[in-house]
Amino acid sequence: MQGREDVRAAYMPPGLQAEAMTLQKRRQQVVALSAAAAPAAPVAETKKTIPTGVRFLFGTVSAVTATFFTHPVDVVKYHLQLAGKGGNAAAPTTTIGAGQDILKRQGPSGLYKGLTASMMRQVSYGTTRLGIYTTLMEKFAAPDGSPPPLAEKLAFSMVAGGVGAFVGNPFDLSLVRMAADSSLPEAQRRNYAGVMDAVSQIVRKEGFTSLWIGAGPTISRCIILNMAQLTTYSQAKEELLKTSFFNDNIWCHLASSMISGFVATAASLPFDVAKTRVQNAAKGEYAGMADCIMQTARHEGFLSLWKGFTPAYLRLAPQTVLVFVILEQLSNSYKRLFLS
């Protein structure tokens, strides 16, 4: 195009040639200015997220901290869940009675039996489930940052609970046996010196795969628990934030945790009772989780499947509160310091 204009200009009179050259320069200037003023192609903004490793670390800190404060209630719960087993009518059947019995026979330290196993369980199980759940929740959040729909939350909580339960079962088994050891007749007590002693004795006397005794009810219970706890927490928080009474702060996290703790306790306790009994049973006593549930309901009544509800809720509610409040505060602080 430029060459044709130059040829035409060569055959024009001198006056017209100058005018044509001036017009051509002006046209080139206009084209250049238009190109400069054109908006640049939009650059895709990279969404800043908390690294997966940091999420798992936050899960560990929140789970272990909560467990330290709630472990004594867990010990009372195990004693209640084993009450009546084997026809032991003298075993306390109330929360206060079980607590007083432990203090009378063992002193305050009895309430912290199995603490090392409980901590190791949270390092494995708690870290895995919270890390997987929070990572999936952020990964599949909507572009505007709103949380995934309820069906996806349920799926994420099931995956997190199942994987976490499998990873943590050896320490969960050790915890149950250590915490409930004093409720057994003296001749049947295992007297583990600590969590690693428990693991090593189980492997040596019962075989490596015995570390996953009760894995079926444990995984079932954790899937139910996580569906009730994690999903209810996320959904309760989402609904509370839609009202004019709550902002995304510690009060909202507290209210969501209390709702979550109650629902999770009611939904998971029958599986928790079965898990405790299967893991603490003599070899061959139960054919599996379903058999344990049926035997317990037949011999002790259907409501016996909710034995230990009060200590279970007193343990799960504050633990849920502590876990989620600590997790939320750590996450919000990280975002404020490193992602804002």
PDB file of all heavy atoms in Angstrom, residues 155-169:
ATOM      1  N   ALA A 155     -18.979 -34.485  50.062  1.00  0.00           N
ATOM      2  CA  ALA A 155     -18.001 -35.368  49.424  1.00  0.00           C
ATOM      3  C   ALA A 155     -16.594 -35.111  49.974  1.00  0.00           C
ATOM      4  O   ALA A 155     -15.847 -36.059  50.280  1.00  0.00           O
ATOM      5  CB  ALA A 155     -18.018 -35.177  47.914  1.00  0.00           C
ATOM      6  N   PHE A 156     -16.229 -33.848  50.126  1.00  0.00           N
ATOM      7  CA  PHE A 156     -14.900 -33.503  50.641  1.00  0.00           C
ATOM      8  C   PHE A 156     -14.726 -34.033  52.068  1.00  0.00           C
ATOM      9  O   PHE A 156     -13.658 -34.546  52.426  1.00  0.00           O
ATOM     10  CB  PHE A 156     -14.694 -31.983  50.643  1.00  0.00           C
ATOM     11  CG  PHE A 156     -14.762 -31.348  49.280  1.00  0.00           C
ATOM     12  CD1 PHE A 156     -15.015 -29.985  49.145  1.00  0.00           C
ATOM     13  CD2 PHE A 156     -14.579 -32.107  48.127  1.00  0.00           C
ATOM     14  CE1 PHE A 156     -15.077 -29.397  47.891  1.00  0.00           C
ATOM     15  CE2 PHE A 156     -14.643 -31.520  46.864  1.00  0.00           C
ATOM     16  CZ  PHE A 156     -14.896 -30.167  46.757  1.00  0.00           C
ATOM     17  N   SER A 157     -15.762 -33.880  52.903  1.00  0.00           N
ATOM     18  CA  SER A 157     -15.654 -34.325  54.295  1.00  0.00           C
ATOM     19  C   SER A 157     -15.556 -35.843  54.389  1.00  0.00           C
ATOM     20  O   SER A 157     -14.850 -36.376  55.251  1.00  0.00           O
ATOM     21  CB  SER A 157     -16.850 -33.816  55.108  1.00  0.00           C
ATOM     22  OG  SER A 157     -18.062 -34.338  54.604  1.00  0.00           O
ATOM     23  N   MET A 158     -16.241 -36.563  53.492  1.00  0.00           N
ATOM     24  CA  MET A 158     -16.153 -38.024  53.497  1.00  0.00           C
ATOM     25  C   MET A 158     -14.746 -38.483  53.124  1.00  0.00           C
ATOM     26  O   MET A 158     -14.178 -39.367  53.771  1.00  0.00           O
ATOM     27  CB  MET A 158     -17.171 -38.597  52.514  1.00  0.00           C
ATOM     28  CG  MET A 158     -18.615 -38.463  52.963  1.00  0.00           C
ATOM     29  SD  MET A 158     -19.783 -38.986  51.692  1.00  0.00           S
ATOM     30  CE  MET A 158     -19.430 -40.754  51.640  1.00  0.00           C
ATOM     31  N   VAL A 159     -14.180 -37.879  52.094  1.00  0.00           N
ATOM     32  CA  VAL A 159     -12.815 -38.232  51.669  1.00  0.00           C
ATOM     33  C   VAL A 159     -11.827 -37.929  52.792  1.00  0.00           C
ATOM     34  O   VAL A 159     -10.984 -38.765  53.154  1.00  0.00           O
ATOM     35  CB  VAL A 159     -12.437 -37.465  50.388  1.00  0.00           C
ATOM     36  CG1 VAL A 159     -10.951 -37.658  50.078  1.00  0.00           C
ATOM     37  CG2 VAL A 159     -13.280 -37.934  49.213  1.00  0.00           C
ATOM     38  N   ALA A 160     -11.938 -36.732  53.362  1.00  0.00           N
ATOM     39  CA  ALA A 160     -11.013 -36.330  54.427  1.00  0.00           C
ATOM     40  C   ALA A 160     -11.121 -37.246  55.638  1.00  0.00           C
ATOM     41  O   ALA A 160     -10.114 -37.673  56.212  1.00  0.00           O
ATOM     42  CB  ALA A 160     -11.307 -34.879  54.840  1.00  0.00           C
ATOM     43  N   GLY A 161     -12.351 -37.593  56.032  1.00  0.00           N
ATOM     44  CA  GLY A 161     -12.551 -38.449  57.188  1.00  0.00           C
ATOM     45  C   GLY A 161     -12.054 -39.858  56.963  1.00  0.00           C
ATOM     46  O   GLY A 161     -11.407 -40.447  57.842  1.00  0.00           O
ATOM     47  N   GLY A 162     -12.341 -40.436  55.795  1.00  0.00           N
ATOM     48  CA  GLY A 162     -11.925 -41.804  55.500  1.00  0.00           C
ATOM     49  C   GLY A 162     -10.416 -41.953  55.448  1.00  0.00           C
ATOM     50  O   GLY A 162      -9.848 -42.874  56.060  1.00  0.00           O
ATOM     51  N   VAL A 163      -9.750 -41.047  54.742  1.00  0.00           N
ATOM     52  CA  VAL A 163      -8.286 -41.111  54.625  1.00  0.00           C
ATOM     53  C   VAL A 163      -7.640 -40.864  55.987  1.00  0.00           C
ATOM     54  O   VAL A 163      -6.713 -41.576  56.396  1.00  0.00           O
ATOM     55  CB  VAL A 163      -7.779 -40.093  53.583  1.00  0.00           C
ATOM     56  CG1 VAL A 163      -6.248 -40.082  53.558  1.00  0.00           C
ATOM     57  CG2 VAL A 163      -8.322 -40.415  52.199  1.00  0.00           C
ATOM     58  N   GLY A 164      -8.131 -39.856  56.706  1.00  0.00           N
ATOM     59  CA  GLY A 164      -7.571 -39.537  58.016  1.00  0.00           C
ATOM     60  C   GLY A 164      -7.713 -40.686  58.999  1.00  0.00           C
ATOM     61  O   GLY A 164      -6.786 -40.988  59.757  1.00  0.00           O
ATOM     62  N   ALA A 165      -8.874 -41.351  58.969  1.00  0.00           N
ATOM     63  CA  ALA A 165      -9.111 -42.474  59.889  1.00  0.00           C
ATOM     64  C   ALA A 165      -8.171 -43.632  59.608  1.00  0.00           C
ATOM     65  O   ALA A 165      -7.649 -44.262  60.530  1.00  0.00           O
ATOM     66  CB  ALA A 165     -10.561 -42.940  59.773  1.00  0.00           C
ATOM     67  N   PHE A 166      -7.944 -43.934  58.345  1.00  0.00           N
ATOM     68  CA  PHE A 166      -7.043 -45.037  57.994  1.00  0.00           C
ATOM     69  C   PHE A 166      -5.620 -44.730  58.452  1.00  0.00           C
ATOM     70  O   PHE A 166      -4.942 -45.590  59.029  1.00  0.00           O
ATOM     71  CB  PHE A 166      -7.065 -45.290  56.483  1.00  0.00           C
ATOM     72  CG  PHE A 166      -6.197 -46.440  56.058  1.00  0.00           C
ATOM     73  CD1 PHE A 166      -6.661 -47.748  56.160  1.00  0.00           C
ATOM     74  CD2 PHE A 166      -4.907 -46.226  55.581  1.00  0.00           C
ATOM     75  CE1 PHE A 166      -5.849 -48.823  55.790  1.00  0.00           C
ATOM     76  CE2 PHE A 166      -4.092 -47.290  55.210  1.00  0.00           C
ATOM     77  CZ  PHE A 166      -4.570 -48.593  55.308  1.00  0.00           C
ATOM     78  N   VAL A 167      -5.172 -43.507  58.213  1.00  0.00           N
ATOM     79  CA  VAL A 167      -3.810 -43.119  58.596  1.00  0.00           C
ATOM     80  C   VAL A 167      -3.647 -43.141  60.116  1.00  0.00           C
ATOM     81  O   VAL A 167      -2.607 -43.571  60.640  1.00  0.00           O
ATOM     82  CB  VAL A 167      -3.485 -41.708  58.048  1.00  0.00           C
ATOM     83  CG1 VAL A 167      -2.166 -41.189  58.617  1.00  0.00           C
ATOM     84  CG2 VAL A 167      -3.428 -41.734  56.525  1.00  0.00           C
ATOM     85  N   GLY A 168      -4.679 -42.708  60.844  1.00  0.00           N
ATOM     86  CA  GLY A 168      -4.550 -42.571  62.289  1.00  0.00           C
ATOM     87  C   GLY A 168      -4.970 -43.772  63.104  1.00  0.00           C
ATOM     88  O   GLY A 168      -4.845 -43.741  64.344  1.00  0.00           O
ATOM     89  N   ASN A 169      -5.456 -44.859  62.471  1.00  0.00           N
ATOM     90  CA  ASN A 169      -6.006 -45.985  63.227  1.00  0.00           C
ATOM     91  C   ASN A 169      -5.014 -46.628  64.214  1.00  0.00           C
ATOM     92  O   ASN A 169      -5.414 -46.979  65.338  1.00  0.00           O
ATOM     93  CB  ASN A 169      -6.537 -47.062  62.283  1.00  0.00           C
ATOM     94  CG  ASN A 169      -7.447 -48.051  62.988  1.00  0.00           C
ATOM     95  OD1 ASN A 169      -8.618 -47.766  63.211  1.00  0.00           O
ATOM     96  ND2 ASN A 169      -6.906 -49.207  63.356  1.00  0.00           N
TER      97      ASN A 169
END
